[in-house]
Amino acid sequence: MSKTKQQSKTKTTALKMPHRTAPLPDTLTPVPGYPTKLCIYKLAASSYWWVRYYDGKIYRRSTKTEDKNKAYAFAKKFYDEIQLKRAQGLAVTSKTRFEACAAAMLKTMEAKVARKELTQDTYDIAKLRLNKTVLPFFAGMDVVDVHYEKLEAFLLMLSHKGGAKGFGKENEQLSSSTVNSYLKLVRAVLNQAFKSRFIPAVPTFPTVNVADNARGYFGTREYSDLWRRALKLNGKQFDVRKIPDKNGEEGKGQFVETVKGNNKGRLVRRVRITHDLHELVLFMVNSFMRPTDLKNLQHKHVQKVERHGCKFLVLNLPPSKKHDKPIATMELAVKVYDRLTRKHKAAGLGVGVNDYVFMPQYSNRDYAYKEMARQFDVLLWSTGLGKCVFHGT
């Protein structure tokens, strides 16, 4: 026999041989008195009998015995265990539990954060919502049993006041966009289960009509009012005080200009307006930056450019919400940047490449951002152009 024919015969023989973990056909035996989908069998990799049951997916387990009668008894208990967990709405195996798939989904998100495809904040919010609201509702469930009716019940829970525990105020009605974000999180878990071949398909989800609420904006006159008022407020100090009503109950915090001897109500905090506020308003409008990017803006991210007689800045900001392209500013942003840098240098603050452009005195940039927000709150209150949220109170 030629070498080629011998190799072909060897391959054919190998293909006909069952895998060591596959059931030996001659040993497949249905359990008497039970559905034919419940059977015991042997395999080449073990001397024990094994039990197998098919119920939309295959469940198998070793009986840990070579005695056929004991294997029958084990198979019956195995079947009863599956039926009991099914009746209770629990997962038959731990790896197909909803929480196990949620943990796998979070691992996938962690990898995306490491690759800078997701922000850390996005991951933290997803983890918080899972632990506080989603997992308590779906705990112990098999992903196979998460159907439309269960998703509809979850939506009903979210739609009632206080339904989403641990996120926002306990008795606050969730907005439709927030409810929709919870459903997207559940869908992400079931997508993970589908990719792991635990479910044949992702179930149909109930729909939530999300209103298209465009963000507010300032017109030309309002913008002018803001930067002019910010200039006038520079150096002034304001109190946030909670003043009791006629029943002695504290209301929401309100701004009052700091005056010596004014002890009315409880002092929550004091806010001093700095020159940064005026420059911040001008710089944001002329640089097209998002407010949250201001806290991370360092001098090394700023490049001065002069082209065809026009001066502007090129900002190479750290990636944020998938935005990683340079920003070309308007010409006024150059003047603001130079003015701000001179003032900081005169005040003895750092203006090196690794120093921050806005409020460089604060190494904690989250705190710096809160300071910016508090000063802007005062500005909105003073101009009557917005609803104050009193950051940090």
Side-chain angles (χ1 to χ4, degrees):
M1 184 182 294
S2 66
K3 185 177 180 180
T4 304
K5 288 184 177 180
Q6 181 63 39
Q7 289 176 339
S8 178
K9 185 176 181 181
T10 303
K11 286 182 179 179
T12 303
T13 304
L15 289 171
K16 290 180 179 179
M17 292 178 62
H19 192 272
R20 284 174 52 80
T21 59
L24 298 174
D26 295 340
T27 64
L28 275 168
T29 310
V31 177
Y34 281 75
T36 56
K37 293 179 180 179
L38 178 69
C39 59
I40 60 172
Y41 63 94
K42 282 197 170 185
L43 42 84
S46 173
S47 61
Y48 294 141
W49 283 94
W50 283 65
V51 58
R52 183 178 74 177
Y53 177 65
Y54 178 77
D55 180 23
K57 61 177 293 184
I58 295 177
Y59 300 101
R60 55 172 66 88
R61 192 179 295 176
S62 172
T63 65
K64 302 294 184 181
T65 181
E66 297 180 15
D67 186 287
K68 193 171 185 178
N69 289 327
K70 291 181 179 180
Y72 278 141
F74 183 93
K76 293 174 182 178
K77 289 182 180 179
F78 181 61
Y79 175 82
D80 292 340
E81 178 186 330
I82 292 175
Q83 299 308 311
L84 177 61
K85 287 185 175 181
R86 281 276 183 242
Q88 294 174 335
L90 301 176
V92 177
T93 61
S94 59
K95 67 180 181 180
T96 62
R97 285 178 183 164
F98 188 92
E99 51 263 47
C101 294
M105 187 270 291
L106 286 176
K107 286 288 185 183
T108 301
M109 290 186 71
E110 283 180 4
K112 288 184 177 180
V113 172
R115 296 195 301 267
K116 300 187 184 301
E117 295 176 14
L118 278 180
T119 64
Q120 185 64 42
D121 286 345
T122 300
Y123 170 82
D124 291 340
I125 290 173
K127 187 175 181 180
L128 173 66
R129 288 177 169 175
L130 272 172
N131 292 333
K132 293 293 185 179
T133 303
V134 178
L135 290 182
F137 186 87
F138 293 99
M141 283 193 65
D142 195 312
V143 287
V144 174
D145 297 322
V146 180
H147 302 303
Y148 179 85
E149 292 78 12
K150 194 68 178 179
L151 296 170
E152 186 71 36
F154 179 63
L155 176 59
L156 184 63
M157 183 272 289
L158 291 176
S159 301
H160 285 82
K161 288 185 178 181
K165 297 179 181 178
F167 199 84
K169 297 179 180 178
E170 289 293 323
N171 296 319
E172 185 177 336
Q173 181 73 46
L174 295 179
S175 66
S176 57
S177 60
T178 302
V179 170
N180 199 46
S181 66
Y182 276 101
L183 289 178
K184 286 181 179 179
L185 196 55
V186 176
R187 187 191 296 275
V189 175
L190 295 180
N191 277 332
Q192 183 70 38
F194 174 71
K195 292 173 184 176
S196 302
R197 298 189 295 277
F198 296 151
I199 55 177
V202 176
T204 301
F205 272 67
T207 56
V208 177
N209 293 323
V210 179
D212 186 13
N213 295 321
R215 293 186 179 183
Y217 63 92
F218 297 113
T220 304
R221 180 178 295 179
E222 293 169 329
Y223 162 61
S224 179
D225 289 344
L226 284 171
W227 70 261
R228 290 178 189 276
R229 184 63 60 86
L231 194 59
K232 290 181 179 180
L233 293 179
N234 184 23
K236 293 187 177 182
Q237 184 170 280
F238 296 84
D239 292 348
V240 178
R241 291 184 172 274
K242 290 196 172 184
I243 301 173
D245 59 18
K246 60 182 180 180
N247 297 320
E249 296 182 1
E250 288 186 345
K252 293 183 178 180
Q254 51 185 283
F255 285 118
V256 293
E257 190 167 355
T258 304
V259 178
K260 188 176 181 180
N262 181 11
N263 297 319
K264 190 176 182 180
R266 180 169 62 89
L267 176 65
V268 177
R269 71 168 59 253
R270 285 201 165 119
V271 181
R272 179 176 293 278
I273 306 301
T274 66
H275 69 275
D276 290 77
L277 178 62
H278 171 255
E279 309 294 22
L280 181 148
V281 172
L282 294 175
F283 194 81
M284 278 187 57
V285 172
N286 288 275
S287 66
F288 321 109
M289 286 181 63
R290 297 167 58 247
T292 51
D293 289 333
L294 283 172
K295 67 177 182 180
N296 297 319
L297 181 64
Q298 296 169 278
H299 289 282
K300 66 182 178 182
H301 301 139
V302 183
Q303 178 187 358
K304 289 185 180 181
V305 177
E306 184 171 354
R307 196 172 295 168
H308 305 299
C310 296
K311 296 180 180 179
F312 57 94
L313 303 177
V314 175
L315 308 178
N316 292 284
L317 299 168
S320 174
K321 283 195 173 181
K322 298 184 179 180
H323 296 291
D324 57 359
K325 301 294 186 295
I327 298 174
T329 72
M330 304 288 283
E331 190 169 1
L332 182 58
V334 181
K335 296 179 181 180
V336 175
Y337 174 73
D338 288 341
R339 192 163 58 230
L340 196 61
T341 304
R342 285 196 304 269
K343 287 182 178 178
H344 286 162
K345 187 175 181 179
L349 300 174
V351 291
V353 292
N354 291 319
D355 290 308
Y356 294 94
V357 176
F358 286 92
M359 297 188 175
Q361 65 269 35
Y362 300 116
S363 57
N364 185 327
R365 300 312 294 171
D366 287 333
Y367 182 79
Y369 181 70
K370 283 184 178 179
E371 279 297 305
M372 297 180 204
R374 288 165 184 156
Q375 290 191 35
F376 197 74
D377 282 345
V378 175
L379 181 59
L380 291 177
W381 164 77
S382 180
T383 56
L385 290 176
K387 182 180 178 181
C388 295
V389 292
F390 302 105
H391 288 84
T393 64

